[in-house]
Amino acid sequence: MHNPDLPNIVLLGTGGTIAATADSATILADYSVTQGVDSLLTAVPEIASLANIRCRQVFNVESHAITNSMLLKLAARVNKELADSAVDGVVVTHGTDTLEETAYFLNLTVKSSKPVVIVGAMRPGSALSADGPLNLYNAVLLAGRPQAAGHGVLVMLNDKVGAARFISKASTSQVDAFRSYDQGHIGQVHNGRVHIFQTPAPLHTTGTDFNVAGVKSLPWVDIIYDHQNAGAHLYEASIHAGARGIVIAATGNGSLSPQVRKGIKMAARGKVLCVRSSRVGSGVVSSSASDSKLGLISSNSLNPQKARILLMLALGNTSDREKIQSYFDRC
Ligand code: ASP
C-alpha cells in the first residue's frame, strides 16, 4: 500500500550474486542467478517501512555478461524513471564483478541529480551470512534520503557508500571488496542512519557533456594489458577488428614497453585513439611530454575499465584528442 509519507523508489534488477543461489548454505563460489528482483525485495520485508517501491527487471545476468547495449538500455531506464516527478530515487541491483563499469557509465550519463544507488553482494542469497539483504536495505534507505542527492551515482556495499567515479572492486571474494584507495568512501550507512562525509569533485550526471538518449551503440574500445616482453600484435588485431579506441593498462605510472610504442604508432596511423592508464589500481597517470608526439591521452586516475567507459562516451562526441583529454581531466 502506498504511504504518502515515504519516498518513492524504483528498484531495477540486473542480476549478479545478490540474485544468485547455490546448492547449499556453505557454497560461496559455484552459484547461479536464479532470483528476480521482486523476490529479492520480498526476502527483506523490512524495506516496506523505508519506501514505496516499484520493481522492474531490466535484465538478469552475471555482470561479466553485460554488453554495451545492456548499459544503454539501463541508462535509458534510469533516466526515464528519474524524469517522473513522482520518483525520488533509483536503486539498481548488480553483480559486483563489473559493477564499477556500470556505476561509472551511469555517473556520466544519468541526467538527474536525484539519488541513484547501485548495490550488489559478495555472497549468494543462499549463503550463511549472506550480505545481500542488508546491502539492499541500506541501498533503499540511502536512495530515499536527500543527503544522497548531488554526489553522482553511489555504490552501497558492506555499510559503506562509495562514489562511482572512485570505487573499484579490490578483492575477488571478501565481503569488504570495494575500495577507493586514494579518496576513501564518501559515507556510511549504519543502524538506519546515513552519514555522508565528502562529495566527489569530478563532473558527473547533469554536469557532463554525455547524453545517450536515443543512442543505439557505442564505439568499440579495447583494453590491452602491458607487461614485460609484450608484443605489438594485440594492437594490430584490435585495429584490424575496427576498434576506435584502445586503453592501455600500462605499467607503473603509465610506462610503455618498447613494442607497445610500435602498436601505438600503428593505431595513430589508423586514427585509433589510445589512452595510457595503469594496471596498478591507484594513483594518477601523469601526462608526459611524449603524449602529444604519440597522440596519447593520459587517463588521470581512471583505471583501465573505467577509462574504457569514458573513452567510448567521448568518442561518441568527438575524435579530437585534446577535447577527449579534457574529458579525462574533468570527469
Ligand atoms: N559473478 C558475480 C557478478 O555477477 C559476482 C558478484 O556479483 O559478486 O558479477
Side-chain angles (χ1 to χ4, degrees):
M1 259 233 298
H2 185 267
N3 180 340
D5 296 329
L6 294 179
N8 299 316
I9 303 296
V10 177
L11 180 59
L12 301 177
T14 73
T17 297
I18 193 167
T21 50
D23 287 346
S24 93
T26 52
I27 295 180
L28 302 180
D30 295 312
Y31 48 76
S32 44
V33 173
T34 55
Q35 308 296 299
V37 66
D38 41 359
S39 349
L40 301 188
L41 185 62
T42 316
V44 194
E46 294 79 3
I47 289 178
S49 66
L50 297 177
N52 301 302
I53 307 263
R54 179 158 52 78
C55 286
R56 191 175 190 107
Q57 196 75 54
V58 186
F59 38 86
N60 209 16
V61 298
E62 295 215 56
S63 69
H64 40 261
I66 291 178
T67 60
N68 288 350
S69 57
M70 289 156 111
L71 283 183
L72 288 166
K73 181 177 178 187
L74 181 61
R77 171 54 55 183
V78 173
N79 278 315
K80 183 164 185 236
E81 299 295 356
L82 294 177
D84 178 347
S85 59
V87 171
D88 296 301
V90 165
V91 172
V92 179
T93 59
H94 199 287
T96 61
D97 288 350
T98 67
L99 187 149
E100 66 204 72
E101 294 167 56
T102 299
Y104 189 48
F105 185 78
L106 294 178
N107 197 55
L108 297 170
T109 58
V110 166
K111 296 294 132 190
S112 166
S113 47
K114 292 179 189 173
V116 177
V117 181
I118 309 207
V119 60
M122 290 299 291
R123 295 177 179 151
S126 49
L128 287 176
S129 294
D131 51 333
L134 185 57
N135 287 349
L136 185 60
Y137 179 89
N138 285 341
V140 173
L141 177 76
L142 180 63
R145 291 296 155 89
Q147 303 103 289
H151 310 291
V153 170
L154 301 176
V155 174
M156 182 73 240
L157 272 101
N158 205 35
D159 300 353
K160 295 175 185 165
V161 182
R165 168 64 176 76
F166 301 135
I167 199 110
S168 187
K169 189 172 187 182
S171 166
T172 55
S173 59
Q174 298 190 333
V175 172
D176 194 15
F178 281 79
R179 298 279 152 79
S180 309
Y181 279 115
D182 294 319
Q183 305 86 2
H185 281 82
I186 71 159
Q188 290 181 6
V189 177
H190 184 65
N191 204 28
R193 285 197 61 192
V194 172
H195 306 266
I196 300 289
F197 307 130
Q198 53 177 329
T199 195
L203 299 179
H204 58 74
T205 57
T206 53
T208 75
D209 282 357
F210 306 116
N211 192 328
V212 289
V215 171
K216 295 274 177 288
S217 67
L218 296 166
W220 191 273
V221 172
D222 283 326
I223 299 174
I224 303 183
Y225 212 84
D226 199 4
H227 50 87
Q228 294 178 346
N229 206 48
H233 54 288
L234 295 178
Y235 292 80
E236 227 172 304
S238 176
I239 298 159
H240 188 68
R244 298 238 349 254
I246 296 173
V247 174
I248 307 159
T251 64
N253 183 8
S255 310
L256 303 165
S257 62
Q259 291 299 312
V260 166
R261 287 176 178 269
K262 272 198 194 159
I264 290 165
K265 285 182 188 152
M266 275 191 272
R269 283 196 295 276
K271 306 240 173 313
V272 177
L273 272 169
C274 292
V275 171
R276 261 186 332 119
S277 181
S278 172
R279 62 186 204 176
V280 168
S282 71
V284 295
V285 171
S286 333
S287 343
S288 99
S290 60
D291 283 347
S292 49
K293 247 200 281 165
L294 287 169
L296 285 166
I297 292 154
S298 59
S299 74
N300 189 353
S301 62
L302 289 174
N303 66 21
Q305 55 272 33
K306 288 191 192 183
R308 172 183 163 271
I309 296 290
L310 180 54
L311 185 55
M312 289 193 300
L313 289 168
L315 286 167
N317 283 3
T318 180
S319 305
D320 182 73
R321 186 183 75 87
E322 281 176 26
K323 179 77 187 159
I324 295 180
Q325 181 66 67
S326 83
Y327 291 142
F328 277 82
D329 293 341
R330 295 180 304 128
C331 300

